C-alpha cells in the first residue's frame, strides 16, 4: 500500500513526498477499560495499517487528504487550530500537530496524504493508527527526537483535548510500540512495557476478530459515564485510581461502597480485569497459551454484566463461538458494538466462522466481518 499512497501524494500535490510511514490498528487481548484507571492492558498490533505520505512545509499550513473519504484536500492553518472545533476525520491528524506545537515542538506545517485498511468503528483503533502515523512522520521529518512512548502520549492528548474524546493511553501506545509476534504488556501508570511472545500458529491455534459491523463512537456519552463512575469509585475509596485497589482487598472495598450499586459494578470489573491481565501474562510466559481461553470468557462476562457495555451482537458472537468449540471468546475494545475476539484450534476455525455467520443471519443482524488477527509490527517508516 506504501507505493499506492506515495503515488496518490504525487497526484495530489505534484511532487514526491519526503517519506512514507505506517502505523497499525490494534486488538486488545485482555485488559478492557483499565487504561484510564492506571491499570494493565495487553494489546497487540494488527496487520491492518494507516499509511501516510508526508512532506514538510514552512508556512504554517497543514494540508490533509484521505483516499478513504470523499472530498478534496482540506487546508488548515496551524495557528488557527482550536480544540473541539473540528468534527471531521481531519481532527485526528490535526490534533497531533496541535499537541506537538502546544508542547513546544517546532512544527511548521505539512502536506499529508493518508489511506487506511484499519476497519473504522470496529473497536480496532483506526483513529489511533491515524494519529500515530502522522506523529511518527512529523517526528522524523522535523527531527524532534521524541521516543515512541512520548509520541503516544502526545497523540492521546490530541485525541482527549483537540478531538474531545476521553480515551486512555493504550491505543496510541500499542500502535507506536508493539512488536511483531508479541503482545504488549503495558502498565498504563508508568508506561513500562514488556513484550510477551504470542505465536498462536506455532501451537495450532488462531485468534479471530469478528467485527459485528455495529458502529460506536467514544465521543458519545456512555464511555464518559463509565469513566466518571470509575473516578467516583476511586474517590469514595480514597485512592488515586482503581489500580490501587488490590484483588485481595476487593470484597472489603466493595463493602465500603455500600449501596452505590453502579459504582460497585464498575470497581469490580476494573479490579478483576487487572488481575486477569496479570494471569494471562503468567500463562503465556509459562507456555500454557491454551489456558488463556477461560480467562477471556471471564473478561466478557465482567464487561457484559458489571461494566454493561456489551450488546446483543457481541454476546451472540461469544455464545455461538463457545458453543461451536472455541477455547475462549470476549468482546474487545470500547464496547457498544465493534468487535469480539475468538481463540480457537485451527481445525475449528471454519466451523466457528460458519456458525457465527449463520447465527447472525438467523437473528436478522448485518453479516459480520471475520478475519484472523496476527500479532504484527508497530509503527514504522516504509520509505
Amino acid at each position: 500500500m506504501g507505493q499506492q499512497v506515495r503515488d496518490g501524494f504525487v497526484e495530489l500535490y505534484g511532487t514526491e513526498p519526503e517519506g512514507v510511514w505506517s502505523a497499525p490498528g490494534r486488538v486488545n487481548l485482555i485488559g478492557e477499560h483499565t487504561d484510564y484507571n492506571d491499570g494493565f492492558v495487553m494489546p497487540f498490533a494488527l496487520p491492518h495499517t494507516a499509511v501516510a505520505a508526508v512532506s514538510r512545509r514552512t508556512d504554517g499550513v497543514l494540508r490533509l487528504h484521505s483516499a478513504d473519504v470523499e472530498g478534496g484536500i482540506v487546508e488548515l492553518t496551524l495557528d488557527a487550530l482550536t480544540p473541539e472545533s473540528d468534527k471531521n476525520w481531519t481532527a485526528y491528524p490535526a490534533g497531533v500537530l496541535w499537541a506537538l506545537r502546544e508542547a513546544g515542538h517546532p512544527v511548521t506545517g505539512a502536506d499529508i496524504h493518508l489511506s487506511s485498511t484499519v476497519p473504522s468503528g470496529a473497536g480496532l483503533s483506526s483513529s489511533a493508527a491515524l494519529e500515530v502515523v502522522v506523529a511518527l512522520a512529523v517526528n522524523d521529518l522535523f527531527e524532534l527526537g521524541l521516543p515512541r512512548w512520548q509520541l503516544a502520549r502526545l497523540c492521546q492528548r490530541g485525541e482527549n483535548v483537540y478531538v474531545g474524546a476521553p480515551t486512555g493511553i493504550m491505543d496510541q501506545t500499542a500502535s507506536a510500540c508493539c512488536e511483531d509476534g508479541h503482545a504488549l504488556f503495558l502498565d498504563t501508570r508508568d508506561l513500562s512495557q514488556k513484550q510477551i511472545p504470542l505465536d498462536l500458529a506455532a501451537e495450532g491455534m488462531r485468534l479471530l476478530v469478528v467485527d459485528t459491523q455495529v458502529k460506536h463512537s467514544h465521543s458519545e456519552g456512555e464511555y464518559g459515564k463509565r469513566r466518571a463512575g470509575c473516578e467516583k469509585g476511586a474517590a469514595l475509596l480514597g485512592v488515586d485510581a482503581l489500580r490501587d485497589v488490590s484483588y485481595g482487598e476487593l470484597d472489603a472495598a466493595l463493602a465500603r461502597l455500600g449501596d452505590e450499586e453502579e459504582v460497585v459494578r464498575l470497581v469490580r470489573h476494573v479490579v478483576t480485569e487487572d488481575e486477569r491481565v496479570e494471569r494471562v501474562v503468567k500463562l503465556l510466559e509459562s507456555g500454557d497459551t491454551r489456558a488463556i481461553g477461560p480467562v477471556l470468557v471471564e473478561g466478557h462476562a465482567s464487561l457484559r454484566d458489571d461494566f454493561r457495555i456489551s450488546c446483543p451482537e457481541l454476546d451472540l458472537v461469544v455464545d455461538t463461538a463457545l458453543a461451536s468449540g472455541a477455547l475462549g471468546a470476549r468482546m474487545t475494545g470500547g464496547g457498544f458494538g465493534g468487535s469480539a475476539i475468538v481463540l480457537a484450534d485451527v481445525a475449528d476455525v471454519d466451523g466457528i466462522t460458519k456458525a457465527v455467520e449463520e447465527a447472525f443471519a438467523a437473528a436478522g443482524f448485518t453479516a459480520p466481518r471475520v478475519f484472523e488477527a496476527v500479532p504484527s509490527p508497530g509503527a514504522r517508516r516504509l520509505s
Side-chain angles (χ1 to χ4, degrees), residues 149-331:
W149 67 266
Q150 204 168 342
L151 288 178
R153 269 267 191 248
L154 287 162
C155 288
Q156 183 203 12
R157 178 163 165 73
E159 186 155 348
N160 288 173
V161 181
Y162 191 84
V163 179
T167 51
I169 189 64
M170 172 178 66
D171 298 350
Q172 293 86 356
T173 306
S175 188
C177 300
C178 277
E179 290 181 9
D180 200 12
H182 291 74
L184 179 70
F185 176 38
L186 175 67
D187 180 335
T188 64
R189 169 162 281 170
D190 62 12
L191 296 189
S192 59
Q193 304 175 12
K194 189 173 186 184
Q195 301 286 347
I196 309 289
L198 184 64
D199 187 354
L200 298 171
E203 301 185 56
M205 288 178 277
R206 295 284 187 274
L207 190 78
L208 301 177
V209 175
V210 182
D211 175 5
T212 63
Q213 308 279 354
V214 178
K215 305 297 182 193
H216 65 78
S217 171
H218 279 330
S219 302
E220 286 168 20
E222 292 301 323
Y223 182 99
K225 277 186 206 164
R226 301 301 187 284
R227 186 165 182 161
C230 290
E231 288 164 0
K232 181 179 179 184
L236 289 170
L237 293 169
V239 293
D240 289 338
L242 293 183
R243 150 73 173 278
D244 299 311
V245 181
S246 76
Y247 184 68
E249 298 164 351
L250 178 59
D251 288 345
L254 296 181
R256 280 169 54 205
L257 291 170
D259 58 2
E260 291 274 0
E261 190 244 342
E262 186 184 5
V263 177
V264 164
R265 284 192 285 99
L266 298 177
V267 170
R268 182 165 54 219
H269 166 72
V270 172
V271 176
T272 58
E273 187 80 346
D274 273 334
E275 188 272 338
R276 281 186 284 275
V277 178
E278 294 186 289
R279 224 185 320 157
V280 166
V281 171
K282 285 186 183 130
L283 289 168
L284 290 177
E285 289 187 324
S286 67
D288 195 4
T289 308
R290 189 168 293 267
I292 72 173
V295 190
L296 302 183
V297 179
E298 280 177 40
H300 183 75
S302 182
L303 288 161
R304 180 191 65 210
D305 302 336
D306 276 345
F307 228 67
R308 298 191 181 175
I309 56 170
S310 190
C311 65
E313 291 87 350
L314 288 167
D315 293 340
L316 186 61
V317 175
V318 172
D319 295 344
T320 305
L322 294 173
S324 307
L327 300 167
R330 73 172 192 91
M331 62 152 284

Side-chain angles (χ1 to χ4, degrees), residues 14-31:
T15 177
E16 284 281 337
E18 292 185 80
V20 181
W21 291 259
S22 82
R26 65 96 190 101
V27 70
N28 195 22
L29 186 64
I30 193 80

